[in-house]
Amino acid sequence: MRSSARRSLRGFLIVALATVFVTPLLFMVLGSLRAPGLPPPDGFELVPQGFTWSNYRNVFAFVPLGTYLTNSLIVVAIAVPVTVLVASWAGFAIAVASPRARRRLIALSVVALMIPLSALWVPRFVLFKWLGLVDTLWPLIAPALMATTPFYVLLFALSYSRLPSTLFEAARLENLSPFGIWRKVAWPLSAPVALAVAVLAFGWHWANFIDPLLYLTSGDKQTVSVGLRALQTLEPTNHPILLAASVMVTAPPVIAFLAAQRSFFVKTLGVR
Amino acid sequence: MKKTGLLALPFVVGLAALVGLPAVAALGLAFTEFSGVEGPRFTGSANVSRLVADTAFWRSLGNTLIYIVLAVPLRMVAALGAALLLNRRSRTASAGRPLAYLPTVVPDVAYALLWLWLLNPLYGPLAAIFGTADLLVDPWGARVSLALLSVFQIGEAFVVALAVRRSIPPHLYEAAAVDGAGPWFALSRLTLPLMTPVLGLLTLRDVILSLQVNFVPAFLLTDGGPRYATTYLPLYVYRTAFRYFRLGYASTIALTMFIITAVIVLVQYRLARRWRLTP
Amino acid sequence: MTLRLRDVSKRFQTRAGEVKVLDGVSLEVPQGRMTVVVGPSGSGKTTLLRCVAGLEELDGGSVEVAGRDVTSLDPGERDVAMVFQDYALYPHLSVRANIAFGLRARKVARDQIDAKVEQAASMVGLDAQLDRSPDRLSGGERQRVALARALVRRPAAFLLDEPLSNLDAELRTQTRSQIRSLQRSLDTTTIYVTHDQVEAMTMGDSVAVLRAGRVEQVGPPMELYERPSTAFVAGFLGSPPMNLFPSRLLGRDGDQLCGVRPERVDLVATDDARLHGEIAAVEPIGGEVIVHVRVGDCTLLVRRDLRGVGHLDGTVGLGFGDDDLHRFSASSGQRLP
């Protein structure tokens, strides 16, 4: 049948797409395994010349990656839970608000989503400097107060509005306050979307480069992104070392995402 | 429901503090001279006249527009294509979805370092396979490279397109099939028109994101070069503010970004009204 | 342009394992006739329709439309039109474009499209709504758009999937006769799926009762009513359906089920009665009453004209003629001669 030909063409295209999207990441790993200081390869090599794991150890000799990792972990440990709570509350408010209030909150989120962060760098910097928070981790954590990005609020709103509204109305008849309804009804049902948002927020804060670049001046306060940048200024052409460090910085969010992807696609977005 | 607004309060307050207040501050600072140490000192429209005469600013704006023209269509086609390809219920599709999102999860700095190596003319695998020259020393080579590498990080647009495609009732496709519509007819007369409002929104958002996302690659891969070819607005703002400590003037540049954003949001709002999406 | 299904079977994989949704269904709808497929939910009637439309691939058997085997053809190539339960109107297109969609897909010339669309719209009385958007229409109007979309192509067969289930009671009666007269005047072979046995009895030239993926009985409505071939059909058709009770209540031997229609039972003096029972409830339904009578461990229903019955209380006798008594095997449910 023709539909089966179509299906296999589709399958082929999916494999091609996945290959194109994943290959660069495989190259990141391959490149990190090449012995440093060797002459350029003669043509393409799948197994790197002088295959070695030592680059991973040697990264720590160039930069204090352990300190950077600790700082990044402190940031995500505070920012991720706050993001999930703020996004969950706001998403719940959107889902159960009157049509008017809902439209306003969605419009507010969409407008906020549209504003380029780069336009806010300077005034935010001035504000945090005025508050005396420069060279602390607080400016890095602060975006969690606005749910990191309104996208996460909209994800929660989408997931809550899929629940039957009679569920919340029934809880209201039990004389629960809005917070009580969130706490007793909505929140227990939001594990998948909370996990998805947590993983995305983790990735966002982990990768955040501009904020530590702007706010952190002391070497021992840097996070992993700026640490990678520091390594690049030290060893601009030592690709194996740079890639080994990149792999170590990339692995946590990638592993977290792959572990949570079912929550994200199937349960949050409803895409089976 | 009464009082549910209170639950949105932290978010709204956060937005006010981290977006609203800075936006107002930017408006104020735009008309001052401010080094971050002394001042700010009100200078009236001096920054504006300086901006108008600033060739570096106009070049950055031009570079940003070139980036938008190169990257946004590619990114949108890639996001839409991936969403349409991966929306079916099948084992291959559900395995493909996370993989299409994966490059988006890679931290920007690591991603930039990866491409620095991939594009390296001596050591890089792309040079080994295709024998490419050093793309990043050529202005257009650098521009095209930065646009191309952004095409891999389309996760958000991809999942939004995917969710919208999924929200189209399957019955419509069955009705179309019984009506004799082939795959192309169904795509052009059903799928695309039904997705147009959201695709429009996504495109506008991507245009605005272009005022932001190209900072890291321009900063790490090309440092704005060669010959300022990849000095985009964010990089120019960064340099003005944090390398030359002209915070007042940098706010003036940021203000132009707000204006561009406002215009785009307004256009989007009017389009959305026409499509009866928002009130 | 006869529509013929031969031994059609369809299986679905579920978590619980494989389910046979259609199990060797054969059905023939002669040219210009309407067959109503009726059955309880889960009996496979919608799947049957989707198999004819080509929206499901068969696991066995064949489908023939107008003498042509269409079993392996795509839906668009089968020359059938379908009206979906939720109408499946294209929300971004006007009524006109909705009706024209199938003609466009088939690359019919533009001037012909306009003429055909207008003709179809006037047949269902939608002339004034042609340039409206479907979401501005009432439920009944949407339903007619779906009908117009089906008939504009003049297909060899109509497939209607519970087209009235989303309408209110009044509109339903009205639309029922409208669909019937359209179908007659177009002389188009039609399969009409419903779970409502009143629709089945009033609309079809013939009725097919489906049960668990098998055709229980096919025939003209009155034949199914008068001579149901199984206890299931007897208990499914009629309102209220036939009383079924074990033969021992009548003092007969054998493992049999007896059946008698509620409207054929008389309330008689206890001396002349074939059965005796206690009145459990009396339900007035307009001009008639339905009397629930407990006989042993069964409840029998009696449907009577309100005027004929006086005060109802206590013990009553139930009378009916031998002609009105149906007998079925208790084990197989098959009709006994």
Side-chain angles (χ1 to χ4, degrees):
Chain A
M1 244 178 115
R2 263 164 300 169
S3 65
S4 73
R6 246 177 255 149
R7 220 172 293 150
S8 48
L9 173 69
R10 190 176 269 272
F12 171 77
L13 287 174
I14 291 175
V15 172
L17 179 96
T19 311
V20 169
F21 271 68
V22 172
T23 307
L25 304 187
L26 292 179
F27 277 134
M28 185 192 276
V29 177
L30 286 178
S32 73
L33 299 173
R34 194 169 194 271
L38 292 177
D42 183 21
F44 175 69
E45 45 177 52
L46 193 61
V47 179
Q49 226 174 323
F51 180 96
T52 173
W53 293 98
S54 63
N55 297 320
Y56 286 85
R57 201 176 340 109
N58 293 340
V59 168
F60 292 86
F62 289 102
V63 288
L65 191 61
T67 311
Y68 301 155
L69 284 167
T70 314
N71 290 332
S72 282
L73 282 174
I74 294 172
V75 171
V76 295
I78 303 174
V80 170
V82 173
T83 296
V84 171
L85 277 185
V86 171
S88 172
W89 286 335
F92 178 66
I94 289 177
V96 299
S98 66
R100 210 171 119 95
R102 180 194 337 233
R103 274 200 299 269
R104 286 193 177 165
L105 282 170
I106 291 179
L108 184 72
S109 307
V110 171
V111 167
L113 203 58
M114 290 284 181
I115 291 176
L117 290 175
S118 46
L120 299 169
W121 292 345
V122 179
R124 265 195 199 172
F125 178 81
V126 173
L127 284 173
F128 281 115
K129 195 172 162 63
W130 181 66
L131 290 169
L133 293 175
V134 168
D135 205 27
T136 69
L137 294 177
W138 293 111
L140 280 59
I141 296 166
L145 283 180
M146 52 170 276
T148 300
T149 136
F151 182 61
Y152 304 156
V153 173
L154 295 175
L155 277 182
F156 266 107
L158 177 76
S159 133
Y160 288 139
S161 55
R162 280 225 209 90
L163 298 172
S165 62
T166 46
L167 197 65
F168 303 130
E169 283 158 4
R172 263 175 87 194
L173 294 178
E174 304 293 330
N175 203 23
L176 281 176
S177 66
F179 182 81
I181 299 174
W182 173 83
R183 177 71 194 81
K184 298 265 170 61
V185 183
W187 177 247
L189 292 170
S190 38
V193 57
L195 180 62
V197 167
V199 165
L200 293 179
F202 171 69
W204 192 97
H205 285 278
W206 189 262
N208 190 1
F209 175 63
I210 186 69
D211 288 324
L213 185 70
L214 297 187
Y215 296 107
L216 303 178
T217 46
S218 324
D220 62 344
K221 294 221 173 77
Q222 301 297 347
T223 60
V224 284
S225 290
V226 179
L228 268 188
R229 160 70 175 160
L231 184 63
Q232 191 210 0
T233 33
L234 280 175
E235 292 284 315
T237 56
N238 195 345
H239 293 291
I241 287 285
L242 287 173
L243 291 170
S246 297
V247 170
M248 283 190 276
V249 170
T250 303
V254 163
I255 291 169
F257 172 76
L258 288 180
Q261 57 95 4
R262 258 189 67 79
S263 265
F264 182 48
F265 284 106
V266 179
K267 301 204 174 113
T268 305
L269 297 167
V271 181
R272 246 164 242 285
Chain B
M1 217 187 285
K2 273 181 200 166
K3 286 189 266 169
T4 40
L6 284 179
L7 284 171
L9 202 60
F11 174 61
V12 174
V13 169
L15 278 184
L18 290 158
V19 178
L21 195 59
V24 174
L27 185 65
L29 288 168
F31 301 97
T32 65
E33 185 161 333
F34 183 33
S35 68
V37 185
E38 324 160 25
R41 192 166 55 83
F42 183 72
T43 55
S45 61
N47 282 344
V48 178
S49 13
R50 183 166 159 188
L51 188 77
V52 173
D54 184 357
T55 50
F57 165 72
W58 291 108
R59 196 170 43 208
S60 310
L61 187 62
N63 286 333
T64 300
L65 292 180
I66 291 173
Y67 177 85
I68 289 171
V69 170
L70 289 177
V72 172
L74 284 176
R75 286 166 56 83
M76 287 299 109
V77 169
L80 178 65
L84 294 182
L85 198 58
L86 296 171
N87 92 82
R88 296 280 167 107
R89 261 174 194 249
S90 78
R91 216 164 278 178
T92 5
S94 50
R97 274 175 225 131
L99 298 183
Y101 198 95
L102 207 54
T104 311
V105 185
V106 176
D108 291 342
V109 180
Y111 193 66
L113 293 182
L114 165 66
W115 282 94
L116 208 53
W117 178 62
L118 287 177
L119 294 169
N120 186 290
L122 284 178
Y123 290 87
L126 285 181
I129 298 170
F130 301 111
T132 43
D134 194 351
L135 286 169
L136 298 180
V137 297
D138 173 68
W140 279 100
R143 283 171 174 150
V144 171
S145 300
L146 292 202
L148 279 180
L149 68 90
S150 81
V151 175
F152 292 84
Q153 293 189 309
I154 47 165
E156 273 182 29
F158 159 65
V159 296
V160 172
L162 188 64
V164 171
R165 170 60 187 81
R166 267 311 176 86
S167 70
I168 303 177
H171 269 181
L172 295 186
Y173 288 95
E174 296 179 349
V178 177
D179 268 345
W184 287 112
F185 194 85
L187 177 70
S188 64
R189 298 299 175 94
L190 211 55
T191 310
L192 291 181
L194 284 168
M195 290 180 75
T196 299
V198 177
L199 289 180
L201 264 183
L202 279 177
T203 307
L204 289 170
R205 170 165 152 77
D206 216 53
V207 166
I208 295 170
L209 271 182
S210 303
L211 299 175
Q212 169 188 333
V213 289
N214 50 29
F215 172 73
V216 175
F219 187 68
L220 292 177
L221 279 169
T222 56
D223 197 22
R227 280 173 276 140
Y228 296 102
T230 58
T231 304
Y232 303 115
L233 276 179
L235 187 61
Y236 187 56
V237 168
Y238 172 79
R239 282 186 180 158
T240 309
F242 303 104
R243 199 171 287 173
Y244 307 117
F245 300 104
R246 294 189 197 126
L247 294 175
Y249 184 52
S251 298
T252 318
I253 303 167
L255 206 59
T256 64
M257 293 160 100
F258 275 118
I259 293 169
I260 295 171
T261 307
V263 169
I264 293 175
V265 168
L266 206 70
V267 168
Q268 167 246 307
Y269 183 71
R270 303 203 71 153
L271 289 178
R273 256 183 115 105
R274 182 178 302 170
W275 287 315
R276 282 184 267 125
L277 270 182
T278 42
Chain C
M1 293 203 253
T2 304
L3 203 154
R4 205 171 276 123
L5 280 77
R6 282 207 187 90
D7 202 23
V8 168
S9 60
K10 176 73 192 168
R11 298 183 293 268
F12 281 128
Q13 292 295 334
T14 65
R15 254 177 232 169
E18 202 175 70
V19 178
K20 272 194 173 176
V21 185
L22 295 177
D23 189 5
V25 172
S26 296
L27 191 65
E28 183 172 323
V29 189
Q31 154 60 27
R33 297 305 173 88
M34 179 190 272
T35 293
V36 177
V37 175
V38 65
S41 58
S43 58
K45 47 194 194 306
T46 294
T47 307
L48 178 74
L49 207 59
R50 294 169 58 85
C51 284
V52 178
L55 296 171
E56 305 284 354
E57 278 180 46
L58 303 189
D59 289 316
S62 66
V63 178
E64 206 177 275
V65 177
R68 193 166 59 116
D69 186 342
V70 299
T71 313
S72 59
L73 293 185
D74 280 344
E77 300 166 333
R78 297 191 172 198
D79 198 20
V80 298
M82 184 158 168
V83 172
F84 290 81
Q85 188 174 4
D86 64 359
Y87 316 139
L89 303 184
Y90 309 121
H92 59 303
L93 299 177
S94 66
V95 170
R96 185 189 298 277
N98 258 285
I99 301 175
F101 193 90
L103 301 174
R104 291 247 168 86
R106 290 187 161 76
K107 301 201 168 61
V108 176
R110 194 162 282 263
D111 47 334
Q112 280 188 42
I113 292 184
D114 290 345
K116 287 184 174 188
V117 168
E118 266 155 43
Q119 195 195 358
S122 79
M123 287 179 82
V124 297
L126 276 174
D127 318 64
Q129 279 83 15
L130 269 177
D131 293 305
R132 293 243 205 119
S133 158
D135 55 357
R136 301 271 160 113
L137 300 181
S138 70
E141 287 169 332
R142 286 152 163 260
Q143 202 271 345
R144 282 183 278 149
V145 177
L147 279 180
R149 203 168 66 178
L151 60 84
V152 71
R153 287 197 274 116
R154 294 298 154 83
F158 287 146
L159 309 172
L160 310 180
D161 186 9
E162 309 220 13
L164 307 182
S165 62
N166 287 329
L167 301 180
D168 59 43
E170 192 191 347
L171 206 52
R172 202 177 295 184
T173 320
Q174 196 186 324
T175 315
R176 213 152 64 192
S177 59
Q178 195 188 9
I179 289 179
R180 191 63 177 122
S181 68
L182 271 174
Q183 186 267 336
R184 285 226 173 94
S185 66
L186 290 169
D187 197 30
T188 304
T189 315
T190 301
I191 298 184
Y192 184 111
V193 159
T194 180
H195 67 275
D196 179 348
Q197 50 97 11
V198 180
E199 274 173 36
M201 296 300 285
T202 51
M203 293 184 75
D205 294 309
S206 69
V207 173
V209 178
L210 213 59
R211 178 198 188 188
R214 289 171 166 277
V215 175
E216 196 85 353
Q217 186 177 4
V218 200
M222 281 323 284
E223 184 185 308
L224 267 67
Y225 179 81
E226 299 286 1
R227 278 185 65 82
S229 66
T230 67
F232 177 81
V233 175
F236 190 74
L237 296 180
S239 139
M242 187 182 282
N243 292 306
L244 292 169
F245 51 90
S247 53
R248 63 179 157 73
L249 286 191
L250 289 171
R252 295 188 183 179
D253 306 331
D255 202 9
Q256 294 181 1
L257 269 180
C258 293
V260 58
R261 297 241 168 239
E263 51 273 36
R264 301 286 166 84
V265 185
D266 277 323
L267 297 172
V268 293
T270 44
D271 307 346
D272 313 332
R274 299 185 75 162
L275 288 168
H276 301 273
E278 292 282 321
I279 288 181
V282 180
E283 276 183 302
I285 48 162
E288 292 176 295
V289 284
I290 293 171
V291 185
H292 297 239
V293 182
R294 296 249 354 127
V295 180
D297 51 359
C298 298
T299 300
L300 270 64
L301 305 185
V302 182
R303 182 169 173 167
R304 286 287 94 189
D305 195 340
L306 195 54
R307 281 171 302 190
V309 294
H311 178 69
L312 289 169
D313 202 8
T315 309
V316 287
L318 303 177
F320 41 85
D322 272 334
D323 290 352
D324 294 324
L325 189 66
H326 307 257
R327 289 179 309 120
F328 306 94
S329 152
S331 50
S332 69
Q334 292 299 318
R335 184 181 189 88
L336 299 172

